[in-house]
Amino acid sequence: MRTERILVVGSNGQIGTELVAELRKVHGNANVIASDLKAPESHSSDGPFETLDILDKYHFTDVVKKYEVTQVYLLAALLSAIAEKDHRFAWKLNMKSLQIVLDAALDFKFSKVYWPSSIAVFGPSTPRVLTPQCTITEPTTIYGITKLAGERLCEYYFLKYGLDVRSIRYPGLIGWKSAPGGGTTDYAVHIYHEALRNKSYECFLKADTTLPMMYMPDAIRGTLQLMDAPAEQVKIRSSYNFAGMSFNPYDVAKSIEKHISGFQISYKDTDPRQAIAAGWPESIEDSEARQHWGWKPEFGLDEMTRDMLENLAVAV
Ligand code: NAD
Ligand code: AKB
């Protein structure tokens, strides 16, 4: 069996920070190369890091050659809220990065590529409750449009060239080890920090805005499970529906109150992220991920709240 050399692009972000650490446990520190626009503030000496702008195809190719890379996890992207501020750049970053990685995968014969999609591929015309794998996908955000186009591109490279590309439609992810990067679901991380700091939080989404969410340990475990699955079990090559839990800001506040008495939540009158959330599903049906490669989440809201508060209380 050949040793895999894994390059993670966008490794300083919310997912990359945790994913690199887990990949290094499995593959060894030297075999997992972290890369981002600049070195992380607390630069880890646990393994190699390369400063890399993924839009610079030639530099990316040099890094691939330098480390004899065999797999790429492409995490660099503009997320939903931040993408609305510059839709042209969001299209450029989210699409061109994927095109560069998929083409390099063919040129350098990568064994696998991982690229995350999102629940943002769905839109206002999608059935909102237990949204199925195959349904109406008419996103109205630039982020969702790039994710939908990306899914089609991944499947195209699989069908046309046999490229082993794998993908998950992540819901909103919540973790204590890293900060979120400009999405609509970010409130569900901020609320825990503010609960510990101030016993109060002003939420940018309305109390009853229910969205699909997942605790980061589940998301990382599921990602590695998909990437480890035998190729014949990965029957969906666009992107898999992937569910953890569903809740709204009111539910999180109630869950936090069980640990921090007197915690107060208030709600902003208007915020552009409300309109984005209104077009997304409330809950996701993920039987294909469960059947094809054995996906099963572990964390519900109260388990996550306990773990978040315990860990943040020590970390901050
Ligand atoms: P993030 O914004 O926290 O991190 C993205 C990282 O990419 C940042 O560290 C940034 O510096 C880096 N980056 C940006 N432009 C770059 C470039 N040109 N070259 C190299 N690096 C660059 O994002 P995240 O939350 O870690 O998300 C990673 C992926 O997962 C994205 O594709 C995102 O759409 C997807 N996703 C995330 C969530 C979530 O809740 N976090 C949910 C669904 C999908
Ligand atoms: C966002 O809110 O943009 C992300 C996502 C669900 O894709 N967390």
Side-chain angles (χ1 to χ4, degrees):
M1 208 173 71
R2 79 168 165 172
T3 303
E4 298 289 353
R5 307 293 304 270
I6 300 171
L7 175 63
V8 179
V9 178
S11 61
N12 296 353
Q14 192 193 9
I15 299 174
T17 304
E18 302 215 23
L19 187 63
V20 166
E22 287 309 308
L23 285 169
R24 284 184 173 156
K25 282 184 200 160
V26 178
H27 296 274
N29 291 357
N31 293 321
V32 179
I33 303 100
S35 72
D36 207 299
L37 290 173
K38 49 186 187 185
E41 272 165 30
S42 53
H43 187 39
S44 153
S45 54
D46 289 350
F49 178 88
E50 285 285 331
T51 301
L52 171 67
D53 179 349
I54 186 58
L55 297 179
D56 182 345
K57 183 169 80 171
Y58 299 104
H59 188 194
F60 171 66
T61 303
D62 287 345
V63 172
V64 166
K65 286 185 192 153
K66 175 177 170 186
Y67 291 95
E68 298 179 358
V69 166
T70 63
Q71 292 186 15
V72 169
Y73 286 63
L74 172 56
L75 305 178
L78 286 198
L79 274 78
S80 58
I82 220 163
E84 289 305 312
K85 296 187 173 151
D86 187 348
H87 74 270
R88 291 184 187 87
F89 183 67
W91 177 265
K92 182 176 173 184
L93 175 61
N94 294 9
M95 297 315 304
K96 193 174 168 195
S97 59
L98 181 57
Q99 185 83 67
I100 286 172
V101 169
L102 293 175
D103 284 337
L106 299 183
D107 291 345
F108 292 94
K109 301 190 174 27
F110 293 168
S111 62
K112 286 175 204 165
V113 171
Y114 181 73
W115 170 83
S117 184
S118 161
I119 54 162
V121 293
F122 303 117
S125 55
T126 304
R128 296 200 68 211
V129 176
L130 288 176
T131 301
Q133 174 72 42
C134 289
T135 184
I136 301 165
T137 43
E138 295 178 332
T140 50
T141 62
I142 190 64
Y143 175 65
I145 292 167
T146 64
K147 289 299 181 188
L148 181 58
E151 287 191 5
R152 302 322 309 154
L153 202 60
C154 287
E155 192 188 71
Y156 179 82
Y157 274 70
F158 170 73
L159 293 173
K160 184 150 178 156
Y161 300 109
L163 179 65
D164 191 346
V165 51
R166 305 179 182 201
S167 175
I168 283 173
R169 288 171 177 159
Y170 290 131
L173 301 181
I174 298 125
W176 59 271
K177 293 182 185 166
S178 50
T184 302
T185 59
D186 292 9
Y187 88 84
V189 179
H190 299 152
I191 193 170
Y192 289 103
H193 287 262
E194 291 304 307
L196 283 167
R197 209 176 285 137
N198 300 320
K199 279 185 139 192
S200 68
Y201 177 65
E202 186 182 36
C203 187
F204 58 77
L205 296 185
K206 295 201 172 96
D208 61 353
T209 312
T210 300
L211 290 169
M213 299 281 193
M214 186 178 288
Y215 197 33
M216 193 64 88
D218 270 346
I220 300 293
R221 189 173 50 78
T223 303
L224 299 186
Q225 208 176 340
L226 170 66
M227 289 302 278
D228 284 347
E232 62 277 10
Q233 281 175 227
V234 184
K235 296 179 183 149
I236 292 173
R237 296 302 184 146
S238 49
S239 191
Y240 274 95
N241 271 14
F242 188 61
M245 54 187 125
S246 282
F247 57 73
N248 59 42
Y250 177 83
D251 298 329
V252 199
K254 287 284 154 212
S255 183
I256 290 174
E257 261 180 49
K258 291 177 192 167
H259 302 264
I260 300 179
S261 69
F263 174 69
Q264 298 283 331
I265 186 165
S266 57
Y267 301 95
K268 276 192 183 168
D269 279 345
T270 53
D271 189 285
R273 288 166 283 193
Q274 184 63 43
I276 299 176
W280 287 354
E282 282 187 17
S283 56
I284 297 290
E285 203 279 322
D286 65 352
S287 52
E288 284 85 352
R290 288 168 187 257
Q291 284 160 17
H292 295 179
W293 39 275
W295 166 241
K296 193 165 179 281
E298 285 176 358
F299 284 87
L301 175 56
D302 283 337
E303 291 88 28
M304 176 177 80
T305 296
R306 193 179 318 110
D307 204 62
M308 281 291 285
L309 292 175
E310 272 175 22
N311 282 295
L312 281 177
V314 177
V316 293

